[in-house]
Amino acid sequence: MFLSNSWLSKVFTAITDWANEIYKSFYNALIPDRRYLFYLDGLKVTLLISLFAIIIGIVIGVLVAVLKVAATNYKMKWLSNVCNIYITVVRGTPLMVQLLIIYNLIFTSRNTNGLIVGAVCFGFNSGAYVAEIIRSGIESIDKGQLEAGRSLGFNYVSTMRLIILPQAIRNILPALGNEFITLIKETSVASVIAITDLTQAAQYIGSRTWDILPPLIIAALCYLVIVMGLSKLLSVFERRMAKSDRG
Amino acid sequence: MIEVKNLTKEFGDHLVLNGINETIHKGEKVVVIGPSGSGKSTFLRCLNLLEEPTDGKIWFEGNKITDKKVNINLIRQKMGMVFQQFNLFPHLTVLENITLAPTKLGIMTKEDAKAKAMELLDRIGLTEKARTYPNQLSGGQKQRIAIIRALAMNPAVMLFDEPTSALDPEMVGEVLELMATLADEGMTMVVVTHEMRFAKKVGTRVLFMDEGKIVEQNTPDEFFEYPKHPRLQEFLSKIL
């Protein structure tokens, strides 16, 4: 009885010590020198890059997808070739290499804003994936919809905008959501071109406290919260767009 | 109103339309019949260039629409089309389906288009469906709405591409009835169909197509009573 009690108390002390240790290392990773501000700044950069990259990605994606479908409809081989080359190159090379090439080749001036480079590069990359998703969405819509639109007197672009794309986007929303989630997580690669995003901020703090794990876990939690929030938002959006499916 | 000269359409090596010459006058109700694969749907779809002819010329109200310089979108506003598969826009309500083209093409104001749509819906007795979505409707209701969607543009001619072929048998009547009313009001119509009774009752002229050619045409009475071409005799003996 006595023996087991002392064994228990030993375990208890060990656990409290361990918890204390964890608390201390996380405290160190967050509070001294107002380190939480680094995460917030990094988070801001990550969110800004993601937001602009998503916008650029959607613009490029819609454009390339519509051009590709139009090129097939109107038999313009060169146009679909241009689109295919873009998609093949972007999807066939690693994102980090693309990022380094764009940074070193195009934005050579040292005072270019890293944020812009990041947004352009991630947007350029995401555009290829978004284009393929949207193209599959457009092709999932019955040919009769295009014919009905054209027969009413709409031109090709208006038919796409008013009739085909709204339906296509509803069909591809889950896939598009996945792409955005992937994009947000991939922005962590931005640190290789000296952008202080969330991941970079965590690594910086780790180098100051000599304890890399807690800041990385904090960063991971931040990504997790963003992604969960986005998933929630997308599911709300999906439900609203599905309202015409009732019955 | 519509004049077709030497209309030819090839899909690859397959000759679907083989030099069709035809004139459709204002107020006519032309019914096109023929076995499947005879090119009757392709003929109809060439009239508003949904299908681009390989060769030949088409005039509509004096405009040569096969000319590259003609803005086909403006021409199509005057040519209503009804499809076998209805092709209502599933992401829009019934009312939006009808008002989309008149408003977005700048032909009517929102209010006018809505008033016109409600008037048309009232005509077919479906005003209470204005705010519902197409997939809550029966096939017959969908097709009648597709018809008034085309009518909302005030077309000069209506093209019907087998409008009752995808319907349950008991829904066919209501659609044909609406088409007959339209015909009575003097609408120029070109109808591709398998409904022989409709052809007899409503048509002013019946065309029989086979292998990409108009083999025979006549008034409905003559056409069905005294078919001359052996191919038409064979066709009619099989279906009547």
Side-chain angles (χ1 to χ4, degrees):
Chain A
M1 191 72 175
F2 184 72
L3 192 84
S4 85
N5 240 348
S6 103
W7 179 78
L8 251 178
S9 77
K10 260 187 198 157
V11 169
F12 184 74
T13 335
I15 288 175
T16 43
D17 281 358
W18 184 64
N20 213 13
E21 195 88 348
I22 287 178
Y23 169 75
K24 240 192 251 165
S25 57
F26 272 89
Y27 178 87
N28 268 338
L30 268 174
I31 309 299
D33 301 335
R34 295 165 68 182
R35 286 181 178 138
Y36 52 89
L37 288 179
F38 283 92
Y39 297 104
L40 286 181
D41 282 345
L43 186 63
K44 201 173 82 184
V45 170
T46 292
L47 286 176
L48 278 175
I49 291 181
S50 304
L51 180 70
F52 286 117
I54 285 173
I55 293 169
I56 295 170
I58 290 174
V59 171
I60 295 179
V62 170
L63 203 70
V64 171
V66 171
L67 285 180
K68 235 185 118 170
V69 174
T72 335
N73 284 357
Y74 290 99
K75 300 185 180 63
M76 289 182 283
K77 196 95 183 92
W78 63 271
L79 188 58
S80 76
N81 281 346
V82 169
C83 296
N84 282 334
I85 288 170
Y86 162 67
I87 290 169
T88 309
V89 168
V90 169
R91 293 206 305 180
T93 52
L95 173 63
M96 199 199 267
V97 177
Q98 290 168 19
L99 193 64
L100 287 168
I101 289 175
I102 290 186
Y103 182 60
N104 287 300
L105 187 78
I106 302 166
F107 297 93
T108 39
S109 155
R110 284 300 108 175
N111 29 1
T112 34
N113 190 338
L115 219 123
I116 295 173
V117 183
V120 168
C121 185
F122 287 109
F124 181 77
N125 177 276
S126 179
Y129 293 93
V130 173
E132 283 300 89
I133 294 171
I134 292 181
R135 187 184 57 83
S136 76
I138 292 173
E139 279 167 5
S140 74
I141 305 300
D142 183 63
K143 204 165 97 295
Q145 292 289 308
L146 179 70
E147 291 182 347
R150 295 308 304 272
S151 80
L152 286 166
F154 286 113
N155 61 31
Y156 187 82
V157 174
S158 300
T159 310
M160 275 289 159
R161 187 170 57 86
L162 296 167
I163 295 159
I164 309 293
L165 283 177
Q167 298 181 56
I169 288 183
R170 194 179 64 191
N171 287 356
I172 59 172
L173 214 55
L176 218 48
N178 266 342
E179 168 55 25
F180 296 154
I181 286 169
T182 308
L183 175 64
I184 290 175
K185 290 183 297 178
E186 275 182 340
T187 57
S188 63
V189 177
S191 51
V192 299
I193 57 166
I195 297 173
T196 316
D197 71 330
L198 185 55
T199 309
Q200 183 71 359
Q203 282 183 314
Y204 172 74
I205 289 167
S207 73
R208 297 293 296 272
T209 57
W210 297 91
D211 191 2
I212 187 66
L213 219 46
L216 287 180
I217 289 169
I218 291 167
L221 285 173
C222 289
Y223 283 113
L224 190 62
V225 168
I226 298 170
V227 168
M228 281 165 66
L230 184 67
S231 303
K232 183 85 197 149
L233 202 72
L234 282 164
S235 73
V236 170
F237 199 54
E238 254 172 72
R239 232 174 302 144
R240 274 187 40 189
M241 288 192 93
K243 65 174 190 266
S244 59
D245 281 340
R246 276 176 303 149
Chain B
M1 174 171 264
I2 303 177
E3 208 181 334
V4 178
K5 278 225 172 97
N6 192 31
L7 179 63
T8 306
K9 175 71 184 175
E10 291 165 15
F11 288 115
D13 290 338
H14 184 50
L15 189 62
V16 184
L17 295 179
N18 187 2
I20 290 186
N21 295 296
E22 187 55 55
T23 306
I24 293 156
H25 299 284
K26 192 167 162 48
E28 270 196 304
K29 296 100 185 62
V30 177
V31 181
V32 185
I33 65 170
S36 48
S38 60
K40 52 194 192 309
S41 274
T42 310
F43 168 62
L44 189 79
R45 292 156 55 83
C46 277
L47 294 181
N48 66 352
L49 298 196
L50 269 191
E51 215 66 77
E52 197 149 335
T54 314
D55 197 15
K57 302 180 183 78
I58 302 168
W59 286 264
F60 173 68
E61 291 184 326
N63 299 306
K64 187 172 165 190
I65 64 173
T66 40
D67 202 325
K68 284 269 179 267
K69 278 173 284 182
V70 168
N71 183 351
I72 188 62
N73 299 316
L74 289 177
I75 301 290
R76 286 194 185 125
Q77 293 180 10
K78 291 275 127 210
M79 304 174 102
M81 187 153 195
V82 176
F83 300 87
Q84 184 177 350
Q85 298 296 338
F86 330 130
N87 295 342
L88 291 178
F89 307 133
H91 63 302
L92 300 176
T93 63
V94 166
L95 187 64
E96 289 164 343
N97 259 279
I98 304 168
T99 57
L100 183 76
T103 52
K104 297 286 179 188
L105 290 169
I107 291 165
M108 294 179 204
T109 63
K110 264 203 173 105
E111 291 73 33
D112 289 349
K114 200 180 154 191
K116 169 106 184 170
M118 290 313 286
E119 181 196 313
L120 285 165
L121 278 171
D122 186 42
R123 239 184 93 168
I124 59 170
L126 290 177
T127 37
E128 82 279 12
K129 299 287 185 193
R131 310 233 163 261
T132 54
Y133 285 92
N135 49 13
Q136 292 161 271
L137 303 171
S138 72
Q141 291 172 333
K142 280 183 199 171
Q143 192 60 300
R144 285 186 292 148
I145 283 161
I147 292 173
I148 64 166
R149 178 177 72 178
L151 283 180
M153 294 290 290
N154 291 319
V157 58
M158 288 281 283
L159 311 174
F160 293 86
D161 188 4
E162 304 199 21
T164 55
S165 298
L167 293 174
D168 285 345
E170 52 180 338
M171 309 262 180
V172 171
E174 57 189 80
V175 171
L176 292 183
E177 203 178 309
L178 174 62
M179 289 167 64
T181 330
L182 268 182
D184 284 344
E185 288 165 6
M187 176 63 77
T188 311
M189 293 162 66
V190 184
V191 186
V192 170
T193 187
H194 295 293
E195 296 292 330
M196 297 304 147
R197 258 187 307 161
F198 177 83
K200 269 185 211 166
K201 218 174 75 188
V202 180
T204 55
R205 192 149 59 99
V206 186
L207 311 181
F208 176 69
M209 283 185 70
D210 189 39
E211 294 180 344
K213 281 187 168 161
I214 296 175
V215 178
E216 183 164 340
Q217 58 168 297
N218 217 326
T219 58
D221 294 340
E222 295 280 315
F223 184 92
F224 289 106
E225 290 304 316
Y226 311 105
K228 292 177 191 76
H229 199 280
R231 186 68 187 85
L232 173 58
Q233 287 168 353
E234 184 197 341
F235 180 76
L236 289 179
S237 72
K238 274 184 191 155
I239 57 163
L240 290 180

